[in-house]
Amino acid sequence: MTQKYTNDSNISLPMAVWLAQDEYKHDPRPNHISVTALLRSTRQLILSKRLKPGEGLEDVSLLLAARLGTAVHSAIERAWLTNHQDSMLDLGYPKHVVDNVEINPLKPDPKKVQVYTEIRKERQIGNWIVSGEADMICDFHVHDVKSTSVGMYTKGTKDLDYSKQMSMYRWIMPDLITEDMGYIEFIFKDWSLIKSFHTPNYPKVPVLQHKVPLMPIKKTEKFINEKLIQIETFMDADEPDIPLCDDKELWRDPPVYQYFSKATNARATKNFDSETAATSHMLQKGTGVVKTKPGKAMACLYCRAATICSQRTTLASQGLLASSAS
Ligand code: SF4
């Protein structure tokens, strides 16, 4: 069997074995593509497919977030499959409400409320088979669990991706997901009770439901079609000709405009989101200098295609990779 992972940081064997456990069921069909893959950049997707066995090894130290995510998903599914009735009664729901919930029914009773957990389905489009696994579908609404940082919620930069992801689930399972609104179930790994008291717009609870409007079904299909056409167009292209990852795909933060009271100072006196604000601050002070600090690319750190990607090499030579990715 070919090696898939490295353990360059010498993580202990008890933990490394857990981190190296990949529960994802890889589909060998060449015309199969998952919703998750459709959300990746075309460059990342195509280059990853070009890796030979033994190339592009991932280091287990970078897999913690993924493995914790899998563990959380499994625990939630287990709770619904094995204990939802007791839990709902413990939460004070009347028995007739609890009895009206069906879990993963093969023949749904239209008088009852259906809950589906980790349900995977697929749909054909052209020559492709697109598959997706919704974390949960409750009463015709799709839910997706994200264990992540508070910043992912407060910045809102991922909302469009969340909408695309859940919209594709609806496109694949239109009979089970009929509602126009999806729900992200955030689990904040870095939530702080103290910050929740004092920080504006900070979530008040560590587990928070966030409503996201889904895209219309026709628009979703158009997005899938266009992405598949782009993949087909560049599948056999020379590496430099494959479209470059854009800033969003690189998980690059926007630039920061730093005001230094003296050009020789090592530390900025004040940071600004916009160049105009930084410049007007400098003019008010009548001295100093504004320098632009570009956002660094984080995605390359987690990208399997990194070893064969010339864009990554260019970013590294420009000092634009997040530190541990350079
Ligand atoms: S290494 Fe970076 S630039 Fe290259 S495909 Fe991956 S994310 Fe994109």
Side-chain angles (χ1 to χ4, degrees):
M1 206 168 142
T2 318
Q3 182 180 349
K4 280 172 69 181
Y5 303 108
T6 55
N7 183 8
D8 291 342
S9 323
N10 283 324
I11 289 176
S12 71
L13 186 61
M15 292 297 99
V17 165
W18 167 55
L19 293 170
Q21 188 192 21
D22 182 7
E23 290 182 24
Y24 183 76
K25 297 164 205 90
H26 296 272
D27 192 313
R29 290 174 292 179
N31 63 338
H32 164 267
I33 191 156
S34 68
V35 163
T36 324
L38 284 171
L39 288 169
R40 289 203 197 109
S41 79
T42 301
R43 166 167 278 267
Q44 186 175 1
L45 200 122
I46 291 176
L47 290 183
S48 302
K49 283 185 183 292
R50 292 184 185 179
L51 292 167
K52 298 186 185 75
E55 278 183 346
L57 302 185
E58 292 174 277
D59 196 79
V60 285
S61 63
L62 297 173
L63 295 173
L64 179 62
R67 298 303 181 251
L68 284 176
T70 305
V72 167
H73 280 77
S74 303
I76 294 170
E77 184 182 27
R78 196 167 54 248
W80 275 94
L81 291 181
T82 64
N83 199 48
H84 82 277
Q85 289 175 320
D86 286 349
S87 290
M88 287 181 74
L89 291 170
D90 288 347
L91 285 162
Y93 285 89
K95 189 160 184 326
H96 71 273
V97 172
V98 177
D99 289 343
N100 202 40
V101 175
E102 296 186 302
I103 312 293
N104 296 331
L106 292 176
K107 286 190 183 161
D109 178 344
K111 292 193 207 81
K112 294 196 170 187
V113 173
Q114 283 83 40
V115 172
Y116 297 91
T117 60
E118 303 289 341
I119 179 161
R120 175 170 285 278
K121 286 196 181 270
E122 58 186 42
R123 181 171 170 183
Q124 180 139 12
I125 179 166
N127 295 324
W128 291 87
I129 294 163
V130 180
S131 78
E133 185 172 284
D135 290 343
M136 191 172 282
I137 301 168
C138 292
D139 200 17
F140 302 105
H141 290 86
V142 60
H143 298 243
D144 198 71
V145 178
K146 303 277 182 211
S147 46
T148 184
S149 63
V150 169
M152 279 298 172
Y153 163 68
T154 51
K155 285 185 202 163
T157 45
K158 284 274 192 180
D159 277 11
L160 186 59
D161 281 345
Y162 297 154
S163 175
K164 276 183 190 164
Q165 183 182 358
M166 292 191 291
S167 300
M168 285 194 271
Y169 293 148
R170 175 166 68 163
W171 176 82
I172 294 171
M173 309 175 213
D175 48 335
L176 299 182
I177 305 168
T178 58
E179 298 299 322
D180 291 336
M181 203 57 81
Y183 295 93
I184 294 295
E185 306 291 350
F186 277 119
I187 297 170
F188 299 122
K189 291 185 288 187
D190 57 350
W191 186 81
S192 148
L193 181 63
I194 303 290
K195 285 187 184 169
S196 75
F197 291 145
H198 305 296
T199 311
N201 302 325
Y202 198 89
K204 298 292 170 221
V205 283
V207 178
L208 182 79
Q209 188 175 80
H210 176 56
K211 250 184 185 183
V212 179
L214 302 187
M215 288 161 34
I217 292 188
K218 275 196 173 159
K219 197 173 165 192
T220 309
E221 186 160 306
K222 187 167 176 277
F223 163 75
I224 295 170
N225 243 323
E226 287 174 357
K227 184 78 182 183
L228 291 172
I229 288 170
Q230 192 181 46
I231 292 167
E232 284 171 357
T233 306
F234 292 99
M235 187 60 93
D236 299 318
D238 290 342
E239 189 274 338
D241 296 334
I242 302 172
L244 297 178
C245 294
D246 62 24
D247 283 354
K248 201 163 158 291
E249 289 163 340
L250 289 170
W251 306 347
R252 258 178 105 167
D253 281 333
V256 176
Y257 301 93
Q258 299 184 301
Y259 168 71
F260 294 79
S261 55
K262 280 187 195 157
T264 48
N265 283 359
R267 292 185 64 171
T269 319
K270 201 164 178 187
N271 290 332
F272 294 87
D273 292 343
S274 90
E275 192 169 12
T276 316
T279 308
S280 83
H281 182 76
M282 181 183 69
L283 292 174
Q284 261 178 21
K285 295 283 175 190
T287 183
V289 55
V290 170
K291 295 181 188 174
T292 305
K293 187 179 169 191
K296 298 205 170 180
M298 272 294 289
C300 305
L301 183 58
Y302 297 91
C303 179
R304 286 192 62 226
T307 50
I308 55 169
C309 176
S310 61
Q311 185 183 6
R312 182 195 185 276
T313 312
T314 307
L315 287 164
S317 69
Q318 295 167 337
L320 292 177
L321 287 187
S323 57
S324 33
S326 41

